[in-house]
């Protein structure tokens, strides 16, 4: 990939949305108290994506930085999620290099009105719905990219959380039961009268859940292609994994199951293809079954009962979609695309029931 194309493929920040401005002078003064050598005040831009925390680009004369803060109007307790996310990355960095360097974590809400953190800007390509032809990836290279991305998840799941000082991050044992119970409650609370009730699926998950976790590891909980950053000059190389706000201690197979719920492959039906957010359908990408086999080979974890984790992942995705759909129906979320979420939730129920009907568990 030639240098002239690099800039076109890198995520671009744009104008800061009205009402979401950041005080550049106060941020700069704070960063200087943390020992950062900064030249002048930055040009501040905002990245358009992100449904939860807000992401800004600070362009100083001598360095580009990324600032993350919670959405405006959030209550204080939720706002501290950014501090937790930054602390996870900070502790992970020495033993898991594919996270950005954290330069500063600010819990003082007097600076910009909320906690925030500042990290290095990883300049690279984030693979979203389709792989750009500019990357020049044939089928063999696409397969290698797929394996390299999976290897970053395998590396995370093989890591002893104690090595990163993260062995007290979550409750650990009992994770599977807590997730099944938690998502069951959340789905029932969010259900509207025009979607499936998932009762058969929820009962099956409660009955078939494993008695104990395959292991307790640090899990990302949102591991997808659009949360990894690729080297712009070597697009097969993963240089970063982003969005650690949902990371915790839990069963790594639950993490894989959640990831595979988003994994749309080339032979999926049109409904599934309509939900695709990452390039997992490209020629050379592994199928879901191939991912599971590869993961088992690399980690040594048993995947004999993976139907449970597949159904869990799809049910969790249905729960996330249904929470958004309920807000849309109540008039609290205005994106017209959310109107399709209700039929998608019902579709996911049928997929779960199909897997259950075929399962030997």
């Amino acid at each position: 990939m030639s240098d002239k194309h690099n800039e076109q493929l890198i995520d671009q920040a744009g104008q800061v949305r009205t009402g979401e401005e950041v005080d550049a002078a106060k941020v700069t003064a704070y960063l200087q108290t943390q020992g950062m050598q900064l030249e002048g005040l930055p040009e501040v831009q905002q990245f358009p994506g992100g449904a939860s925390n807000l992401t800004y680009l600070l362009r100083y004369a001598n360095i580009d930085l990324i600032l993350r803060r919670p959405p405006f109007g959030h209550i204080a307790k939720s706002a501290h999620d950014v501090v937790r996310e930054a602390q996870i990355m900070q502790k992970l960095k020495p033993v898991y290099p594919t996270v950005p360097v954290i330069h500063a974590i600010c819990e003082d809400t007097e600076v910009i009105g909320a906690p925030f953190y500042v990290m290095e800007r990883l300049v690279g390509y984030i693979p979203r719905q389709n792989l750009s032809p500019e990357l020049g990836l044939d089928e063999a290279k696409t397969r290698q990219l797929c394996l390299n991305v999976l290897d970053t998840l395998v590396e995370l799941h093989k890591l002893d959380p104690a090595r990163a000082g993260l062995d007290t991050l979550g409750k650990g044992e009992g994770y599977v039961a807590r997730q099944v119970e938690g998502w069951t409650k959340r789905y029932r609370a969010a259900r509207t009268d025009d979607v499936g009730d998932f009762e058969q699926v929820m009962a099956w998950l409660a009955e078939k859940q494993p008695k104990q976790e395959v292991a307790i590891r640090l899990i990302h909980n949102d591991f997808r292609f659009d949360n990894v950053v690729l080297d712009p000059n070597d697009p097969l190389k993963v240089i970063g994994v982003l969005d650690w706000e949902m990371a915790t201690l839990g069963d790594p197979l639950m993490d894989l199951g959640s990831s595979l719920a988003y994994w749309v492959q080339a032979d999926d039906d049109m409904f599934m293809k309509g939900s695709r957010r990452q390039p997992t359908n490209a020629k050379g990408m592994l199928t879901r079954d191939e991912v599971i086999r590869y993961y088992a080979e690399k980690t040594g974890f048993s995947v004999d009962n993976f139907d449970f984790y597949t159904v869990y992942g799809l049910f969790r995705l249905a729960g996330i979609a249904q929470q958004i759909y309920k807000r849309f129906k109540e008039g609290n979320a205005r994106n017209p695309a959310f109107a399709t979420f209700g039929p998608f939730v019902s579709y996911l129920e049928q997929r779960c029931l199909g897997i259950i009907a075929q399962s030997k568990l």
Side-chain angles (χ1 to χ4, degrees):
M1 185 168 62
S2 65
D3 286 343
K4 71 177 182 179
H5 292 134
N6 286 0
E7 194 63 32
Q8 297 170 20
L9 295 175
I10 291 165
D11 272 25
Q12 301 297 317
Q15 193 170 344
V16 176
R17 291 187 290 267
T18 302
E20 296 185 353
E21 295 83 4
V22 166
D23 190 324
K26 285 187 174 180
V27 169
T28 301
Y30 175 79
L31 293 177
Q32 287 170 335
T33 68
Q34 302 303 297
M36 295 200 71
Q37 303 298 314
L38 304 171
E39 295 180 9
L41 291 180
E43 175 191 357
V44 181
Q45 296 178 305
Q46 187 175 20
F47 288 96
S52 52
N53 293 326
L54 306 179
T55 307
Y56 301 83
L57 174 60
L58 311 179
R59 306 200 78 159
Y60 289 93
N62 62 324
I63 192 172
D64 284 358
L65 298 170
I66 297 293
L67 182 148
R68 293 259 287 172
R69 61 150 292 159
F72 286 79
H74 254 225
I75 57 172
K77 187 177 179 183
S78 299
H80 282 283
D81 287 353
V82 294
V83 173
R84 179 181 181 274
E85 181 183 27
Q87 289 171 340
I88 289 170
M89 289 191 282
Q90 197 171 49
K91 289 181 176 181
L92 257 183
K93 183 68 177 176
V95 294
Y96 187 77
T98 43
V99 291
V101 172
I102 302 297
H103 289 298
I105 303 173
C106 180
E107 297 185 64
D108 181 0
T109 58
E110 295 298 313
V111 180
I112 63 167
F116 68 92
Y117 69 87
V118 171
M119 64 181 177
E120 71 170 316
R121 183 190 185 192
L122 290 177
V123 178
Y125 173 67
I126 297 176
R128 300 195 188 277
Q129 194 171 35
N130 298 301
L131 291 173
S132 170
E134 299 284 357
L135 295 173
L137 301 185
D138 58 17
E139 191 169 334
K141 287 182 178 177
T142 298
R143 182 176 182 82
Q144 191 57 55
L145 168 62
C146 186
L147 296 177
N148 291 352
V149 170
L150 290 173
D151 284 345
T152 63
L153 182 63
V154 166
E155 183 186 352
L156 178 68
H157 288 173
K158 289 174 76 172
L159 179 70
D160 179 355
R163 282 189 60 210
L166 290 168
D167 47 322
T168 58
L169 181 65
K171 295 178 181 176
E173 287 186 16
Y175 178 82
V176 173
R178 288 193 300 274
Q179 291 303 301
V180 170
E181 182 180 353
W183 280 109
T184 296
K185 287 180 178 176
R186 285 189 283 277
Y187 185 81
R188 285 175 177 153
R191 191 191 166 208
T192 49
D193 58 9
D194 55 346
V195 298
D197 64 18
F198 271 89
E199 288 299 331
Q200 189 178 337
V201 175
M202 295 186 291
W204 186 87
L205 286 170
E207 180 189 345
K208 302 298 184 181
Q209 62 182 294
K211 297 292 184 281
Q212 64 181 63
E213 289 72 21
V214 297
I216 297 296
R217 295 287 190 270
L218 183 66
I219 59 176
H220 184 277
N221 257 331
D222 199 20
F223 191 88
R224 302 192 310 261
F225 275 79
D226 55 355
N227 274 335
V228 301
V229 185
L230 307 179
D231 186 328
N233 296 309
D234 178 7
L236 301 185
K237 181 181 179 184
V238 179
I239 59 172
V241 177
L242 306 175
D243 287 350
W244 291 86
E245 59 188 291
M246 292 193 288
T248 190
L249 293 182
D251 188 327
L253 293 187
M254 298 283 272
D255 207 10
L256 182 62
S258 297
S259 289
L260 288 179
Y262 294 94
W263 196 284
V264 179
Q265 58 195 48
D267 62 352
D268 277 334
D269 59 38
M270 294 309 296
F271 218 127
M272 198 66 187
K273 285 178 178 174
S275 72
R276 186 172 61 80
R277 302 173 52 174
Q278 51 182 350
T280 48
N281 65 323
K283 284 187 177 179
M285 287 282 178
L286 277 65
T287 65
R288 288 184 291 271
D289 285 345
E290 287 173 331
V291 169
I292 295 165
R293 288 197 297 271
Y294 180 81
Y295 177 90
E297 178 188 320
K298 287 286 186 173
T299 61
F301 296 142
S302 170
V303 295
D304 292 347
N305 300 323
F306 206 81
D307 283 349
F308 169 82
Y309 303 98
T310 298
V311 172
Y312 162 75
L314 293 169
F315 172 54
R316 176 181 180 265
L317 176 57
I320 293 168
Q322 181 58 30
Q323 287 173 328
I324 297 169
Y325 183 60
K326 180 181 173 68
R327 291 203 302 271
F328 172 78
K329 285 203 74 176
E330 292 173 344
N332 297 320
R334 304 190 184 282
N335 187 336
F338 294 158
T340 65
F341 280 28
F344 181 60
V345 167
S346 293
Y347 163 82
L348 289 174
E349 182 183 38
Q350 294 309 307
R351 272 196 72 190
C352 287
L353 291 173
I355 294 167
I356 288 170
Q358 299 287 326
S359 178
K360 295 175 182 173
L361 284 181

